[in-house]
């Protein structure tokens, strides 16, 4: 039997299929994987609202882990994602939270290995669309619908302009951009969604700019 999408895979065993609970969850997991840059060795996933109430019946758990394994939403392996992750040695913990969040389909994903960890908060807003609202303590708004770069930098004058100038040099158009910081003059985060995929040469050039600490790209 062949499947065409995540809904075909999970749908027959779900209690009312929902793109918010499946495709959205898979995309949150996959963005976390993309930002982490590799397959994590462990994952602690806190679920809120309707995610917490229905995640097993709606396939949110397998979809989220499928994303962490870098499976796309139409990947036939998603239905077996938890077993595949365990075969890879990934330790998985799901936590059902009681706290009330701004959106009912919210997940806090903390992943890591012996080299580091990453924490993000993702929201499934319907129709398979998501928003990443927090990354390692920085507030942001990342849709995951477009190519993007995340630039960690020192909060110094000229840092934003130098990044924007580099993008202009490569004729990269910015669709959405915002900056978050925890304290004045300390570390800050630029979130830049663009209209084209960004090649590695530009990433390397950005990393050489003054006050730029780390650059991560998300490919569409």
């Amino acid at each position: 039997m062949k499947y065409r999408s995540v809904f075909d895979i999970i749908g027959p065993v779900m209690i009312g299929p929902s793109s918010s609970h499946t495709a959205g969850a898979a995309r949150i997991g996959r963005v976390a994987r993309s930002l982490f840059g590799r397959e994590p060795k462990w994952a602690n996933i806190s679920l809120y609202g309707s995610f917490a109430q229905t995640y097993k019946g709606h396939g949110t758990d397998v979809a989220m882990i499928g994303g962490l394994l870098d499976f796309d939403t139409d990947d036939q392996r998603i239905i077996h994602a938890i077993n595949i992750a365990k075969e890879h040695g990934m330790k998985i913990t799901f936590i059902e939270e009681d706290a009330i969040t701004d959106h009912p389909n919210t997940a806090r994903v903390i992943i890591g290995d012996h080299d580091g960890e990453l924490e993000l908060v993702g929201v499934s807003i319907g129709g398979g669309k998501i928003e990443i609202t927090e990354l390692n303590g920085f507030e942001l708004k990342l849709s995951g619908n477009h190519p993007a770069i995340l630039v960690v930098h020192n909060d110094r004058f000229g840092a934003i302009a130098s990044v924007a100038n580099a993008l202009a040099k490569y004729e990269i158009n910015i669709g959405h951009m915002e900056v978050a910081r925890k304290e004045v003059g300390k570390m800050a985060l630029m979130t830049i969604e663009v209209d084209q995929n960004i090649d590695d040469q530009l990433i390397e050039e950005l990393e050489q700019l003054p006050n730029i600490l780390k650059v991560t790209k998300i490919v569409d």
Side-chain angles (χ1 to χ4, degrees):
M1 181 176 181
K2 294 184 178 180
Y3 301 97
R4 293 186 302 276
S5 71
V6 68
F7 306 111
D8 295 322
I9 296 168
I10 300 175
V13 295
M14 289 172 57
I15 310 169
S18 166
S19 59
S20 295
H21 290 193
T22 51
R27 295 190 68 205
I28 291 171
R30 200 173 188 203
V31 168
R33 162 66 182 262
S34 178
L35 292 172
F36 193 57
R38 55 194 180 275
E39 185 173 295
K41 292 298 183 183
W42 53 265
N44 297 329
I45 302 171
S46 296
L47 301 172
Y48 299 83
S50 60
F51 262 3
Q53 297 164 8
T54 64
Y55 73 97
K56 290 182 179 179
H58 282 197
T60 304
D61 50 355
V62 294
M64 189 77 69
I65 299 304
L68 292 179
L69 292 172
D70 203 26
F71 298 165
D72 204 348
T73 54
D74 60 354
D75 196 309
Q76 299 180 25
R77 295 172 293 176
I78 282 183
I79 194 171
H80 303 297
I82 291 178
N83 289 334
I84 294 172
K86 290 179 178 178
E87 290 172 359
H88 291 187
M90 188 188 301
K91 183 179 179 181
I92 302 166
T93 303
F94 284 98
I95 304 166
E96 301 172 21
E97 300 284 3
D98 295 326
I100 298 175
T101 56
D102 292 336
H103 194 284
N105 298 328
T106 298
R108 181 176 295 273
V109 180
I110 306 176
I111 56 177
D113 58 18
H114 60 278
D115 289 325
E117 66 178 65
L118 175 143
E119 178 177 355
L120 65 74
V121 175
V123 178
S124 180
I125 59 176
K129 295 181 179 180
I130 66 168
E131 285 185 359
I132 305 302
T133 60
E134 184 179 319
L135 175 64
N136 291 339
F138 288 103
E139 293 184 358
L140 73 160
K141 184 178 180 180
L142 178 66
S143 71
N145 294 326
H146 307 283
I149 55 172
L150 278 70
V151 182
V152 180
H153 61 99
N154 293 318
D155 184 25
R156 300 288 190 275
F157 69 89
I160 297 172
S162 65
V163 170
N165 288 336
L167 293 175
K169 173 184 172 182
Y170 284 82
E171 299 183 347
I172 301 295
N173 191 51
I174 297 174
H176 173 79
M177 179 177 181
E178 61 181 43
V179 181
R181 62 185 182 184
K182 298 177 183 178
E183 295 182 51
V184 176
K186 301 294 184 179
M187 191 179 296
L189 174 68
M190 277 183 255
T191 304
I192 308 172
E193 292 188 335
V194 298
D195 293 337
Q196 306 103 309
N197 282 321
I198 297 172
D199 61 32
D200 292 337
Q201 182 178 347
L202 174 54
I203 297 298
E204 292 173 3
E205 186 170 323
L206 291 173
E207 289 175 335
Q208 299 304 313
L209 294 174
N211 292 307
I212 303 304
L213 304 177
K214 183 179 180 181
V215 181
T216 304
K217 70 174 179 178
I218 299 176
V219 179
D220 188 19

